[in-house]
Amino acid sequence: MRSGKLDTTVIASPLPPLFTALSSFILPGLGQLISRQVHRGLLMFASLASMFGIFLTRLASIASDYNVEGAGRILGKSFQHYPGFSVLIIFSLSLLYLWIIVDAYRLARYRKKQKNTGFWLVLLGFFTLGHQLSEIDMVRLVTNFPEASQKMSKILWPWEAAVEYDEELIRASARILVSEEGELPANPSAAPGEPDISIEPRRGSLGTVDENYNQVPGSQVTIQGSGFTPNTFTEIWWIDDTGEEFRPRSEGRYVGAVTDENGNFELTMNLPFANTVIGADGAEYHRIDARQVFQVGAPKFSRDLGMILSRMLETIFMGMMATVFGIIFSIPISFLAARNIMQGSKFTMTIYYLTRILLNIVRSIEPLIWAIIAVVWVGLGPFAGIIALTIHSIAALGKLYSEAIEGIDHGPIEAIQATGATRLQTIVFAVIPQMISPFVSFSIYRWDINVRMSTIIGLVGGGGIGFLLVQYTRLLEYELAGIAVWFIAITVAILDYVSAEIRARFV
């Protein structure tokens, strides 16, 4: 140290500065190695090589996406479709390469290291790669906000879906031919005062997927309706030959129309993707329904709300059962993983090291992965979730308990051992009394973690509220997904309060 500053001098290079710089020009970092700056040279080589390797991987992906060959054409495609990324990463790689050469020259000539310029160049390069590989799109973030805000409002205030009413239904339907063979169906004629719809054309092709797995929409048809309730939204439903019915979507929204003051409407839609069951004569007919739904009677809790409550209770008890099983198995394991308990012989220390390694391996695998394995093992449902959480809880609590054991006061242990007590007696009378407080604290904290994790492992079939949440999200039922999210937040808040009260009483 000199004058309070770090000494940046290094051991002189055994070779001339130009030769050292030329070495780093041929192999980045070699000049630093020659100047006996091994770690610096290896770090520079690894940084430049990893950045260049990731860039080549990205170029290979671009070549595959756009089906081009040749380095020049691939690089051209990169500049054409990702100009900002291409310019920045090549700029970063070039500057870092030149900086490594200059750094090798300065080390050999001036016997001092350069400032942290290289660190910022490496950071710029990896940030550029990360920005591209993670597909960050700020333009899409801003432009999609209006549409996303509508969906988010349903999640933030979803309580309309928590109640339901008895329904009164007004409907009319017409058939459409969706195969090459068969006679055109006639448009139905309704009685005076009754609703009816007509479809033109009455033959069409269903939506398909091409050889590149791109969706190809079905034929376009026009639906006209009359005799419905005026100024009311009319839903369009599709019923295939198997009796399955669903609401077609267009641009992410359900197809439908609002009737005019005379109860008429007209809309155009593409035929959706649907099951095909060709009849014996080669003809296949599907149906299009126009429906108006009216709510009647007093409000009542919806069936979906009851299902969400049931799954939330399942989630809470999944976390509780996993915590109980985790505590039971982790307590004995934690003593095997405590150095101060196991030291004394090679055999016990071998058990100690093996236990610690096993706990670290199991703990490093997330409960979500354990849930996937458990689903394969015992099938879908909460039991798979309990297995996953229990396995991870054993490893996590075993580590926490063992570290708490290693931090206890050794005075009582030495006093008990001085009386000639066995190892088991020492644990019972000197270790366990000191461990009650941290054991309770860690156990309550793990219960809180397990309840929150129970909401996640349901995404892979591990039961609980997460299973419903992912289904609602996939079906774009954002209000029901919002109710599930609200119940998760409320439950976690209540459990946090309960755990704080328990901790205050026992810790």
Side-chain angles (χ1 to χ4, degrees):
M1 300 286 292
R2 297 177 182 175
S3 302
K5 296 183 179 180
L6 289 173
D7 185 3
T8 58
T9 59
V10 297
I11 301 174
S13 170
L15 298 175
L18 286 177
F19 185 84
T20 306
L22 181 62
S23 301
S24 280
F25 174 80
I26 298 171
L27 181 64
L30 181 58
Q32 285 77 4
L33 294 177
I34 293 173
S35 297
R36 299 183 179 89
Q37 294 294 304
V38 178
H39 291 90
R40 189 177 182 85
L42 292 176
L43 182 60
M44 290 179 175
F45 175 78
S47 300
L48 187 64
S50 56
M51 286 173 57
F52 188 68
I54 296 173
F55 180 49
L56 289 180
T57 302
R58 187 57 187 158
L59 289 180
S61 176
I62 292 172
S64 175
D65 292 341
Y66 296 98
N67 196 24
V68 294
E69 296 180 356
R73 294 184 62 189
I74 295 172
L75 200 59
K77 279 290 182 183
S78 177
F79 275 99
Q80 179 182 350
H81 293 279
Y82 310 103
F85 161 72
S86 302
V87 169
L88 269 178
I89 191 60
I90 291 177
F91 175 76
S92 302
L93 285 169
S94 302
L95 278 186
L96 180 59
Y97 179 57
L98 291 174
W99 181 83
I100 292 173
I101 297 172
V102 173
D103 181 72
Y105 180 84
R106 288 174 60 87
L107 284 174
R109 181 170 182 177
Y110 301 110
R111 302 183 184 181
K112 65 168 63 174
K113 301 176 184 178
Q114 292 193 77
K115 295 182 179 180
N116 294 326
T117 308
F119 169 78
W120 296 110
L121 291 174
V122 172
L123 185 62
L124 175 62
F126 278 108
F127 178 82
T128 304
L129 290 166
H131 188 280
Q132 173 61 22
L133 293 174
S134 56
E135 300 181 358
I136 295 174
D137 190 342
M138 300 304 295
V139 174
R140 185 171 59 183
L141 179 68
V142 174
T143 55
N144 287 359
F145 178 76
E147 182 180 353
S149 62
Q150 297 176 2
K151 300 174 182 177
M152 289 298 297
S153 64
K154 295 180 179 179
I155 295 176
L156 294 175
W157 192 253
W159 302 112
E160 289 184 5
V163 296
E164 62 185 11
Y165 299 81
D166 292 329
E167 294 180 347
E168 182 180 312
L169 183 64
I170 297 176
R171 64 186 294 182
S173 64
R175 294 199 305 164
I176 181 172
L177 179 67
V178 295
S179 58
E180 295 295 330
E181 301 180 10
E183 297 183 1
L184 288 178
N187 279 320
S189 56
E194 294 293 326
D196 73 287
I197 63 170
S198 62
I199 307 171
E200 290 296 339
R202 285 165 284 161
R203 183 201 300 268
S205 301
L206 296 171
T208 58
V209 178
D210 61 18
E211 62 275 5
N212 296 321
Y213 301 100
N214 297 317
Q215 293 185 351
V216 179
S219 304
Q220 193 173 78
V221 297
T222 299
I223 305 172
Q224 293 180 327
S226 61
F228 289 87
T229 303
N231 304 316
T232 304
F233 183 77
T234 306
E235 302 172 354
I236 300 299
W237 287 76
W238 186 273
I239 301 95
D240 62 25
D241 261 1
T242 66
E244 294 244 357
E245 60 179 37
F246 61 90
R247 293 181 65 183
R249 291 178 180 272
S250 176
E251 298 180 353
R253 298 177 180 174
Y254 289 119
V255 176
V258 178
T259 54
D260 60 20
E261 64 274 7
N262 298 316
N264 304 324
F265 72 87
E266 179 177 325
L267 64 87
T268 301
M269 63 171 282
N270 292 98
L271 300 192
F273 300 85
N275 294 325
T276 57
V277 181
I278 299 176
D281 58 353
E284 182 184 358
Y285 297 93
H286 290 200
R287 274 196 307 126
I288 295 178
D289 261 20
R291 303 177 183 178
Q292 289 182 335
V293 182
F294 299 93
Q295 297 175 343
V296 295
K300 56 185 179 181
F301 290 120
S302 65
R303 189 175 68 89
D304 290 302
L305 178 63
M307 189 181 302
I308 291 172
L309 283 170
S310 174
R311 291 286 184 156
M312 195 67 245
L313 285 174
E314 183 179 286
T315 299
I316 294 171
F317 281 101
M318 280 172 58
M320 184 189 72
M321 296 300 293
T323 304
V324 171
F325 290 136
I327 292 171
I328 292 172
F329 289 106
S330 61
I331 287 178
I333 292 175
S334 64
F335 289 99
L336 300 178
R339 180 186 289 271
N340 57 341
I341 300 297
M342 300 302 290
Q343 64 186 0
S345 70
K346 292 183 178 179
F347 176 73
T348 55
M349 287 304 294
T350 301
I351 295 176
Y352 162 77
Y353 285 117
L354 290 176
T355 305
R356 296 290 292 195
I357 291 171
L358 182 62
L359 290 178
N360 287 333
I361 292 173
V362 174
R363 190 170 50 86
S364 65
I365 302 174
E366 286 296 317
L368 195 64
I369 308 301
W370 285 118
I372 295 173
I373 297 171
V375 166
V376 175
W377 185 3
V378 299
L380 298 172
F383 185 39
I386 291 173
I387 292 175
L389 291 172
T390 298
I391 292 173
H392 198 269
S393 295
I394 292 171
L397 288 176
K399 180 179 185 298
L400 292 173
Y401 290 167
S402 64
E403 290 178 350
I405 293 171
E406 290 176 346
I408 63 176
D409 183 8
H410 288 272
I413 296 177
E414 294 173 356
I416 293 291
Q417 289 176 340
T419 65
T422 64
R423 187 183 296 271
L424 180 60
Q425 291 172 328
T426 302
I427 292 173
V428 171
F429 295 103
V431 177
I432 291 180
Q434 299 186 63
M435 293 310 305
I436 293 176
S437 178
F439 271 31
V440 171
S441 180
F442 291 145
S443 300
I444 294 172
Y445 179 60
R446 188 65 204 183
W447 181 37
D448 184 79
I449 291 175
N450 281 342
V451 171
R452 285 186 279 112
M453 283 303 305
S454 297
T455 65
I456 302 300
I457 62 175
L459 301 178
V460 294
I465 193 72
F467 184 76
L468 279 184
L469 184 60
V470 70
Q471 297 300 322
Y472 290 147
T473 305
R474 288 174 179 172
L475 295 173
L476 306 183
E477 299 284 358
Y478 295 112
E479 288 182 336
L480 295 177
I483 293 176
V485 171
W486 268 90
F487 272 104
I488 291 171
I490 292 170
T491 301
V492 170
I494 293 173
L495 289 178
D496 182 66
Y497 172 77
V498 171
S499 62
E501 287 295 317
I502 296 174
R503 193 179 294 109
R505 294 175 183 272
F506 291 95
V507 177

